[in-house]
Amino acid sequence: MGLALARAAQWTAAGSGTGTLEIIPLNESLLNQIIKFAEDFSTRYPQEAACVFREPLEWKTQLGCSVFGEGYEICRAPPWRQVHGEICYLVIKPHDSDPLYITCSIAGVFLNGGQLKGKDDIDYERKSDVYKDIVTFLRERSPRFVENMSKQEYNFFKEPTYEKNYKRMEVVDGKVSGQSQNLYDFTEKNVGEKVKSSAARRTSIDKKKLEPSMTWKNTGLSASHSDKVTKQNTEEEGRSSTVSLKIKKKASGISSGSVKIQPASTCKTSGRFEDVSESSSETEEDEEQPVCHQEGNTDLLSEYWGIQKLAKYLKGGNPTATVIALCSMRDFNLTQETCQRAIRDIGCLEVLINLLDTEEIRCQIGSLKILKEISQNAAMRHEIADLGGLQIMVKILDSPDKDLKCLAAETIANVARFKQARRTVRQHGGIKRLVKLLEYISVGSTSLTPYQAKDTEIARCGALALWSCSKSTKNKEAIRKAGGIPLLARWLKCSHANILTPVVGTLQECASEPSYRLAIRTEGMIENLVKNLNSEHEELQMHCASAIFKCAEDKETRDLVRQHGGLQPLSVLLGNSENKPLLAAVTGAIWKCAISRENVSKFREYKAIEALVGLLTDQPEEVLVNIVGALGECCQEPINRTIIRKCDGIPPLVKLLTGTDQALLVNVTKAVGACATEPENMMIIDRLDGVRLLWSLLKNPNPDVQASAAWAICPCVENAKDAGEMVRSFVGGLELVVNLLKSKNKEVLASVCAAITNIAKDEENLAVITDHGVVPLLSKLANTNNNKLRRHLAEAISHCCMWGNNRVTFGETKAVAPLVRYLKSNDPSVHRATAQALYQLSEDPSNCITMHENGVVKLLLAMVGSTDETLQEAAAGCIANIRRLALATEKAKYG
């Protein structure tokens, strides 16, 4: 396309190098069109706009020149003709006319001037009308072509009557014989008798064979169904068995007659993994937003007209004719946009849904097979739900016919990918019915009988539907109340990947709920999840790892994963870096499992830390979040901080501080902060300007990022050489830290107090933050019940007392009395920090009086005997100051 545009534009002559665009209306028009396309692209096609193309798109085809026989020339339009919409040029040699030189373009097919004499070029000028396709063109130009077309196919679509005489075709040893017989007789007898002739589907024009289009083999008419059809022949011949359809016309519905074609919106949606595997939450419920493309006034493909003709037989035929029409419709590529558009435009969708409400199992099966295919499309899913299709499918789940059950459940699985559809399934009793399908248990056997295989298929389809429905929080609860957890646990013990995948998929969706995590642990499912990490099926591995990822929030589960040997396969799966969804699930499971220190030792043994460091570059953000989270947990041990440094892991970690993903920033700041506790690591971080990057993250609007950055700054300030000068070099940095004391987030306040504690160790920095009003801001925080904030606030007050009149100011701003109450906390670390702060504040006589009035002496006396020497000394020092003040007061009073 770029080459075509470059050739279409007018360029100035270049003296050296490339030329420039001339200022002419043609170029201006081209540029305006490019700009308009680029501006609208991300809005109209957000899914496509998110793709980054690093190299040209390429695809392979199995077709070669030899497929077309001899005498063909490879048929592509040069770039200077592509700008006119031309695609390729063909030479067609009919039996009854001279060769035809035609041009295929986006507008259609037309006759061109043919090969120019003496030249390797052709006359591109149009010499005929434009036809919608080559078949239509040849019908007008070659009578012989029309004669050789399949009479059965041509007449079948030509007239909407059943009693017209047609040619009955029979295929014997690859040859066609025929006799005059009406279509009704043909269809009744051939549905049962000629199913095996499905290979003869298309007319071979070259050999003049008139072979019928028999596509009933794969329409759900199994052997038993074929027998039923044969037995019913006599009954149906004696009566007019018309399928009763209660057509539900929409306001914008189109009559069954002629169709007026308008440019329509066509919608595309993402694949299975994107729709089903995204994590669930209460706000969920992932409202599906199909991306709509507005089509221009282009000629519709022949598939559109073929489906339009079939619609006549769907709407008014007897059961057998309806089945044949359904079979013929399945002959089309129903995943193709044009076919789906045809089904939508001419009212076929309403008919297909109404067929589900009949008593004809053949029609129900044929309809469900089509609905299952087209429901892969987001727009179709919404329309099926709007027309009441889900309610009927839920009822079909009670059918005694197993094939029907399977198809209904599988179609529900496709449709229930958006919020309203999931709600509809639940409200009409679908969850209970789907859970009941899991009762078809055949877990123990490795090789299944046909009967067991069918039961397994029913359970698989039921699990698929539950998987889709489990994105809803209310549906998760409904599955649990319907007894789904024990059944899922039983199926988890089987060895068949096709049923295991949807079962584990449902479990990993539900594992976001604490009740399910408890059940997964108590029902012994962790062992089976770990076992299937060694499966050959990557999708199954992914869902098992994802379930472990969610369940490993609980310590007991983390221990079970280790005890059942799950840490080693998780470490091994890090080597499969090409499968990004699998890698995301595995790294997430490792991250959560690494919260337990015992598991970190195992990961070090399995070389998982080195593997994680090696994955720090060129990964999706979803994967990076988990990798850095895992490294942050592993970094809590000194030996692992050394491993990361030796593997050159610190530079990529510091580089990630420049990102924008909030979850990634939270994890990477934690990892960098943990690494900074080692002086050698801190030198690298400082050299890479990592501290400045951390400081800049304090301005991030996300409180989680602010808090994580502040925590990371603490070890950086503590372990940096000449930390005081480094901190002062950040223009406005100290003022930024002090202003964060105005935050409403407790975690931000605790982390900033911890940072101030380290900053205040430098006298010059303490003077600066005092000037910025740190004392009154700290005093305002004193009335808190949060033990984490109490501890770090007391430490900050203790260090801030070392400058000027800060001790007095703390007393004047009412910080002393609340601190005394901290001594009643049940957290020893709060006791130690508070005693130190009170000791510093007791250097001011007014503060001693306040402490004494609030009963501090009795509380501190109990702590003087503590085994914590720091607490012991601080408590004794504070009491001593209070006692000295009392003695001085008495001495002054009594002279």
Side-chain angles (χ1 to χ4, degrees):
M1 186 175 71
L3 181 60
L5 287 172
R7 292 180 181 274
Q10 297 295 318
W11 302 85
T12 61
S16 61
T18 58
T20 58
L21 285 173
E22 290 185 350
I23 304 175
I24 59 174
L26 172 62
N27 288 346
E28 184 178 355
S29 175
L30 279 174
L31 289 174
N32 285 334
Q33 290 181 49
I34 294 170
I35 291 169
K36 186 177 184 304
F37 178 81
E39 286 176 344
D40 296 342
F41 188 83
S42 60
T43 303
R44 295 173 61 192
Y45 313 106
Q47 204 169 357
E48 290 83 349
C51 297
V52 178
F53 292 97
R54 295 184 174 88
E55 58 186 26
L57 283 176
E58 296 181 0
W59 61 91
K60 295 181 180 179
T61 176
Q62 296 180 347
L63 289 177
C65 300
S66 59
V67 175
F68 299 99
E70 297 293 331
Y72 284 86
E73 294 181 2
I74 300 174
C75 310
R76 178 180 179 181
W80 58 90
R81 298 303 304 178
Q82 290 180 27
V83 297
H84 298 290
E86 296 178 5
I87 301 170
C88 63
Y89 311 98
L90 302 175
V91 180
I92 298 178
K93 298 178 181 178
H95 289 285
D96 55 350
S97 70
D98 295 327
L100 301 172
Y101 297 85
I102 66 170
T103 297
C104 297
S105 73
I106 59 174
V109 176
F110 57 85
L111 200 65
N112 61 45
Q115 190 81 24
L116 293 174
K117 293 183 179 180
K119 297 184 179 179
D120 292 328
D121 205 350
I122 64 174
D123 181 3
Y124 299 107
E125 186 176 354
R126 181 161 65 88
K127 303 294 185 181
S128 72
D129 294 332
V130 179
Y131 298 85
K132 66 173 185 167
D133 53 37
I134 296 176
V135 173
T136 307
F137 174 86
L138 290 175
R139 280 177 177 170
E140 295 291 331
R141 296 279 171 170
S142 172
R144 184 75 173 274
F145 176 82
V146 176
E147 291 175 5
N148 283 318
M149 287 188 66
S150 166
K151 290 186 173 62
Q152 178 204 1
E153 181 180 354
Y154 181 82
N155 289 329
F156 185 80
F157 295 120
K158 184 177 179 182
E159 296 291 340
T161 60
Y162 284 93
E163 300 303 326
K164 185 173 179 69
N165 286 339
Y166 294 96
K167 204 69 169 173
R168 179 187 176 196
M169 306 302 166
E170 296 204 1
V171 183
V172 181
D173 296 329
K175 298 182 180 180
V176 180
S177 63
Q179 62 185 30
S180 178
Q181 195 165 355
N182 66 43
L183 176 65
Y184 184 80
D185 183 56
F186 163 73
T187 56
E188 286 292 292
K189 294 184 178 179
N190 281 279
V191 167
E193 297 172 4
K194 300 303 178 184
V195 166
K196 297 180 181 179
S197 301
S198 60
R201 296 193 176 193
R202 288 290 179 260
T203 301
S204 175
I205 297 177
D206 293 337
K207 297 182 180 179
K208 306 180 184 179
K209 289 186 179 180
L210 306 180
E211 300 177 357
S213 176
M214 294 187 177
T215 56
W216 306 308
K217 185 176 181 179
N218 296 319
T219 60
L221 296 176
S222 59
S224 60
H225 291 129
S226 299
D227 293 338
K228 292 178 184 177
V229 173
T230 305
K231 291 177 183 178
Q232 291 172 353
N233 283 346
T234 306
E235 297 176 8
E236 292 187 11
E237 286 177 356
R239 56 186 170 89
S240 177
S241 302
T242 302
V243 180
S244 176
L245 300 180
K246 295 173 283 186
I247 306 295
K248 301 174 184 175
K249 292 292 183 182
K250 297 191 294 184
S252 59
I254 302 175
S255 66
S256 60
S258 61
V259 179
K260 182 178 181 181
I261 305 302
Q262 300 287 349
S265 296
T266 57
C267 302
K268 296 181 179 179
T269 188
S270 57
R272 173 78 191 176
F273 177 77
E274 186 175 14
D275 280 344
V276 176
S277 300
E278 72 180 67
S279 62
S280 52
S281 65
E282 182 62 38
T283 57
E284 114 187 84
E285 309 190 37
D286 72 294
E287 189 60 36
E288 189 177 52
Q289 297 295 336
V291 181
C292 292
H293 301 170
Q294 190 72 21
E295 288 187 353
N297 290 315
T298 57
D299 284 316
L300 297 177
L301 300 178
S302 59
E303 284 86 348
Y304 190 102
W305 308 110
I307 289 179
Q308 182 192 15
K309 293 171 183 175
L310 280 174
K312 300 174 185 177
Y313 301 101
L314 282 180
K315 292 179 181 179
N318 59 53
T320 305
T322 302
V323 170
I324 293 173
L326 290 169
C327 297
S328 301
M329 189 172 287
R330 289 200 67 231
D331 220 15
F332 293 93
N333 180 7
L334 296 176
T335 60
Q336 191 179 54
E337 187 176 294
T338 305
C339 295
Q340 293 175 353
R341 178 178 167 186
I343 290 172
R344 204 166 52 238
D345 288 353
I346 60 183
C348 271
L349 196 55
E350 294 94 329
V351 178
L352 290 170
I353 290 172
N354 275 280
L355 283 172
L356 299 180
D357 218 5
T358 67
E359 296 181 356
E360 287 286 339
I361 291 181
R362 295 177 301 162
C363 294
Q364 289 176 307
I365 287 177
S367 178
L368 279 172
K369 281 182 174 286
I370 293 172
L371 289 171
K372 186 184 79 170
E373 293 295 323
I374 64 177
S375 60
Q376 299 288 342
N377 177 282
M380 286 295 193
R381 289 199 280 272
H382 284 264
E383 290 203 36
I384 291 170
D386 291 342
L387 291 167
L390 281 170
Q391 292 91 318
I392 304 174
M393 290 180 217
V394 166
K395 290 180 182 178
I396 290 175
L397 294 175
D398 292 328
S399 169
D401 189 282
K402 293 184 177 181
D403 291 324
L404 209 51
K405 280 184 179 179
C406 288
L407 285 168
E410 206 163 358
T411 309
I412 290 173
N414 289 341
V415 178
R417 295 186 189 178
F418 63 98
K419 180 179 178 180
Q420 183 58 47
R422 290 192 283 271
R423 182 184 298 134
T424 301
V425 174
R426 181 181 71 249
Q427 291 176 342
H428 288 81
I431 300 297
K432 290 182 181 178
R433 289 177 169 93
L434 290 170
V435 168
K436 193 174 180 180
L437 297 184
L438 297 180
E439 295 177 357
Y440 290 84
I441 298 292
S442 54
V443 175
S445 43
T446 53
S447 58
L448 301 177
T449 65
Y451 185 84
Q452 290 175 323
K454 179 56 69 175
D455 286 349
T456 301
E457 178 64 10
I458 291 175
R460 183 191 73 85
C461 295
L464 277 174
L466 288 174
W467 187 5
S468 293
C469 292
S470 64
K471 284 181 174 292
S472 161
T473 303
K474 291 182 179 179
N475 282 356
K476 292 173 189 175
E477 182 62 16
I479 293 170
R480 188 184 66 79
K481 288 183 177 179
I485 295 178
L487 291 171
L488 290 168
R490 289 174 66 185
W491 276 112
L492 195 59
K493 296 175 183 177
C494 81
S495 57
H496 306 289
N498 63 338
I499 177 66
L500 278 172
T501 299
V503 165
V504 178
T506 304
L507 287 172
Q508 66 91 13
E509 280 292 343
C510 294
S512 58
E513 297 297 311
S515 60
Y516 271 90
R517 294 202 292 270
L518 176 63
I520 288 172
R521 185 171 73 246
T522 55
E523 291 277 351
M525 288 189 252
I526 297 297
E527 180 179 2
N528 296 110
L529 290 173
V530 167
K531 175 185 174 183
N532 287 304
L533 288 174
N534 296 308
S535 169
E536 296 178 354
H537 302 271
E538 291 186 353
E539 186 181 5
L540 178 56
Q541 290 176 318
M542 176 191 70
H543 293 305
C544 288
S546 182
I548 293 172
F549 180 13
K550 294 178 180 179
C551 292
E553 294 283 350
D554 308 316
K555 184 181 185 305
E556 295 85 352
T557 299
R558 295 196 291 269
D559 293 339
L560 284 172
V561 174
R562 180 182 69 255
Q563 291 164 10
H564 290 299
L567 302 182
Q568 185 172 17
L570 285 173
S571 303
V572 170
L573 286 172
L574 288 174
N576 193 346
S577 59
E578 297 302 317
N579 188 332
K580 300 306 179 186
L582 173 61
L583 189 61
V586 168
T587 51
I590 290 175
W591 172 19
K592 296 303 180 182
C593 288
I595 297 173
S596 295
R597 298 282 81 87
E598 302 89 342
N599 290 348
V600 172
S601 300
K602 286 290 184 181
F603 283 132
R604 182 171 63 251
E605 179 184 335
Y606 300 137
K607 305 294 183 183
I609 299 171
E610 292 90 336
L612 289 168
V613 171
L615 293 169
L616 277 174
T617 54
D618 299 326
Q619 298 296 339
E621 286 183 338
E622 180 187 10
V623 175
L624 286 173
V625 168
N626 297 340
I627 292 172
V628 176
L631 290 174
E633 295 297 337
C634 293
C635 279
Q636 303 306 311
E637 293 186 358
I639 186 172
N640 294 334
R641 297 195 285 267
T642 303
I643 291 173
I644 290 174
R645 183 183 72 250
K646 290 182 177 179
C647 292
D648 294 325
I650 295 178
L653 282 174
V654 171
K655 186 177 180 181
L656 290 175
L657 291 172
T658 61
T660 56
D661 184 270
Q662 306 297 296
L664 178 57
L665 288 174
V666 169
N667 284 357
V668 77
T669 46
K670 179 178 180 180
V672 171
C675 288
T677 57
E678 298 288 330
E680 291 183 59
N681 291 351
M682 184 57 219
M683 290 174 62
I684 301 173
I685 293 170
D686 192 19
R687 186 175 71 246
L688 296 170
D689 211 19
V691 184
R692 187 183 300 276
L693 292 172
L694 285 171
W695 218 284
S696 68
L697 290 175
L698 295 176
K699 295 184 286 187
N700 192 291
N702 188 319
D704 293 334
V705 176
Q706 291 175 347
S708 187
W711 288 122
I713 285 171
C714 296
C716 290
V717 174
E718 190 174 359
N719 293 291
K721 290 184 178 179
D722 198 8
E725 181 61 33
M726 178 188 70
V727 171
R728 287 191 294 277
S729 69
F730 303 144
V731 178
L734 291 173
E735 183 180 8
L736 175 61
V737 171
V738 173
N739 284 334
L740 281 175
L741 290 173
K742 300 174 184 176
S743 173
K744 303 297 182 184
N745 185 285
K746 292 290 192 296
E747 188 69 18
V748 172
L749 293 173
S751 62
V752 171
C753 286
I756 288 173
T757 299
N758 286 280
I759 290 168
K761 293 176 182 178
D762 181 87
E763 192 175 66
E764 290 186 46
N765 290 338
L766 176 54
V768 174
I769 62 174
T770 300
D771 291 341
H772 285 305
V774 72
V775 172
L777 288 172
L778 289 172
S779 298
K780 285 183 179 180
L781 301 175
N783 287 296
T784 179
N785 295 321
N786 185 291
N787 278 334
K788 191 173 187 179
L789 176 55
R790 280 177 165 182
R791 172 194 167 188
H792 293 290
L793 175 59
E795 289 178 348
I797 290 174
S798 175
H799 283 81
C800 287
C801 284
M802 304 295 188
W803 176 257
N805 292 324
N806 284 357
R807 290 187 181 89
V808 177
T809 309
F810 276 121
E812 293 172 348
T813 52
K814 310 298 183 184
V816 177
L819 280 174
V820 175
R821 295 195 291 272
Y822 290 9
L823 295 175
K824 297 179 182 179
S825 167
N826 56 5
D827 187 344
S829 63
V830 174
H831 297 165
R832 183 170 57 251
T834 303
Q836 289 176 304
L838 291 172
Y839 172 59
Q840 293 296 331
L841 291 168
S842 66
E843 297 290 334
D844 176 64
S846 299
N847 293 341
C848 286
I849 295 171
T850 304
M851 292 177 199
H852 190 273
E853 289 174 346
N854 284 274
V856 76
V857 175
K858 183 179 179 180
L859 295 168
L860 288 174
L861 281 173
M863 297 177 183
V864 170
S866 171
T867 55
D868 185 332
E869 293 185 3
T870 303
L871 172 58
Q872 186 185 94
E873 291 176 4
C878 184
I879 293 173
N881 285 339
I882 294 172
R883 183 59 184 157
R884 273 193 293 270
L885 177 61
L887 290 173
T889 302
E890 289 180 10
K891 185 175 180 180
K893 183 177 180 180
Y894 298 108

